[in-house]
Amino acid sequence: MTHFADRLAAAVERRRTPVMVGLDPRADSLPRGLLADDRRRDPQAVADAFERFSCGVIDAVRELVPVVKPQAAFFEQYGPAGMTALARVIDYARRHDLLVVLDGKRNDIGTTATAYAEAYLGAPPASPWGADALTVSPYLGDDSLTPFVDVARVRGAGIFVLVKTSNPGGRMLQDLTIDGRPLYRVVGDYVEHLAADTCGESGYGAVGAVVGATYPEQAAELRAAMPHTWFLVPGFGAQGGAARDVAAAFDASGRGAIVNNSRGIIFAHAAKAYKERFGDARWQAAVEAATRDMIQQLAADSPAGRL
């Protein structure tokens, strides 16, 4: 299996955009007709609707973007039916040549961390879930990350470690000062060490970092300190991040970052900018239009325009 960072770089360059579409289905936000109101308490019915919706989003964006990010929690809340739907969505994305970053924010120590890594990372049959990469929390320390890195190396997969997240509450821990430096810099330095140690031909490692669009100054600081690390950038769109806010996450060639947009794309049919043109009946066309608009915004106002 080709090195994850090299596959990600090739996919981004092939599509000429770093846009990542987040698959975060919610029962109360689905287009009308996908889930009857009287079935919203039926886990199987909701899971089936989530699968149809997520695969429909994939159909709308698969020729436009390199990668999708299913959020495991939205599927997990519906139990076994939801988890089966998640597995099918991951498989559907893979079969349509999209890279899949599973947003699960997993971690533990020892054999438990290894079990998480073996479950989620790598192409089937090595992994039953088949994710190309997984988001991981670093706050159990270095021995909690090592099993993920080891499995990623063997399977040509990747991980994205939480470094500077987009939510306001992240500052409570991530901005704490440790020996004169904020904790996110301490974590970032360790992630960069892991990235440099797992470098592929692209110059980037199999270990990436989650760095939020809502903190552009910190993103610039981290990009300078982490030259071998792919950034997964959440917070674009609904959380307030714009193309200019994410510009510092890229390297000079426009590589090094993938920018996630979930609600702003998948629920575009209900957004003011698209509702009148598309509405529920043409929700996939709204998804496509919102994706194209984001691609254009990043091309115009960030180094992604150099791809």
Side-chain angles (χ1 to χ4, degrees):
M1 176 66 71
T2 308
H3 190 284
F4 169 70
D6 294 347
R7 287 190 290 128
L8 181 57
V12 167
E13 290 170 9
R14 183 169 63 250
R15 295 297 185 216
R16 299 185 66 191
T17 184
V19 170
M20 163 190 271
V21 176
L23 303 176
D24 298 12
R26 306 175 191 203
D28 59 358
S29 298
L30 295 178
R32 283 192 301 272
L34 284 185
L35 179 64
D37 289 343
D38 62 355
R39 302 295 303 281
R40 290 190 179 187
R41 294 186 180 275
D42 179 345
Q44 187 64 61
V46 177
D48 290 344
F50 280 9
E51 181 182 344
R52 291 194 300 273
F53 176 69
S54 298
C55 291
V57 171
I58 289 168
D59 287 339
V61 304
R62 67 192 190 195
E63 300 296 330
L64 301 176
V65 304
V67 57
V68 293
K69 183 176 70 65
Q71 169 51 259
F74 289 107
F75 295 88
E76 288 174 356
Q77 67 181 320
Y78 293 100
M83 298 302 279
T84 298
L86 174 61
R88 289 174 175 165
V89 168
I90 292 172
D91 178 66
Y92 192 79
R94 291 185 64 91
R95 286 191 284 113
H96 288 89
D97 296 322
L98 287 166
L99 292 176
V100 178
V101 176
L102 182 61
D103 197 351
K105 299 179 178 67
R106 298 299 196 258
N107 209 335
D108 213 307
I109 58 173
T111 55
T112 310
T114 300
Y116 274 135
E118 291 184 345
Y120 290 109
L121 293 176
S127 156
W129 285 99
D132 295 287
L134 176 71
T135 57
V136 176
S137 171
Y139 291 106
L140 275 74
D142 56 357
D143 59 345
S144 72
L145 295 178
T146 300
F148 291 94
V149 178
D150 291 344
V151 173
R153 283 182 193 268
V154 171
R155 297 185 179 177
I159 63 172
F160 286 93
V161 180
L162 306 181
V163 173
K164 182 61 177 166
T165 57
S166 57
N167 61 305
R171 293 175 293 187
M172 184 183 78
L173 296 179
Q174 295 163 21
D175 288 7
L176 288 175
T177 300
I178 309 294
D179 295 330
R181 294 190 303 158
L183 180 58
Y184 70 79
R185 280 299 309 273
V186 177
V187 176
D189 286 350
Y190 185 64
V191 171
E192 168 62 17
H193 163 73
L194 294 175
D197 194 47
T198 58
C199 255
E201 294 180 3
S202 63
Y204 283 92
V207 181
V210 176
V211 177
T214 48
Y215 296 102
E217 293 181 4
Q218 288 86 348
E221 175 189 1
L222 289 165
R223 171 47 66 209
M226 304 172 72
H228 302 95
T229 306
W230 271 99
F231 287 2
L232 190 169
V233 184
F236 188 97
Q239 288 181 268
R244 288 186 176 87
D245 298 319
V246 306
F250 298 96
D251 66 19
S253 67
R255 297 187 308 160
I258 45 177
V259 183
N260 184 72
N261 191 345
S262 299
R263 285 171 285 171
I265 286 178
I266 67 173
F267 302 133
H269 67 281
K272 183 178 179 180
Y274 306 101
K275 185 174 183 178
E276 187 173 336
R277 274 193 292 160
F278 303 107
D280 292 73
R282 299 182 61 216
W283 68 268
Q284 285 178 286
V287 166
E288 179 181 346
T291 303
R292 290 186 182 277
D293 287 347
M294 181 176 171
I295 290 170
Q296 292 175 0
Q297 291 163 19
L298 288 175
D301 293 327
S302 82
R306 298 171 191 156
L307 289 168

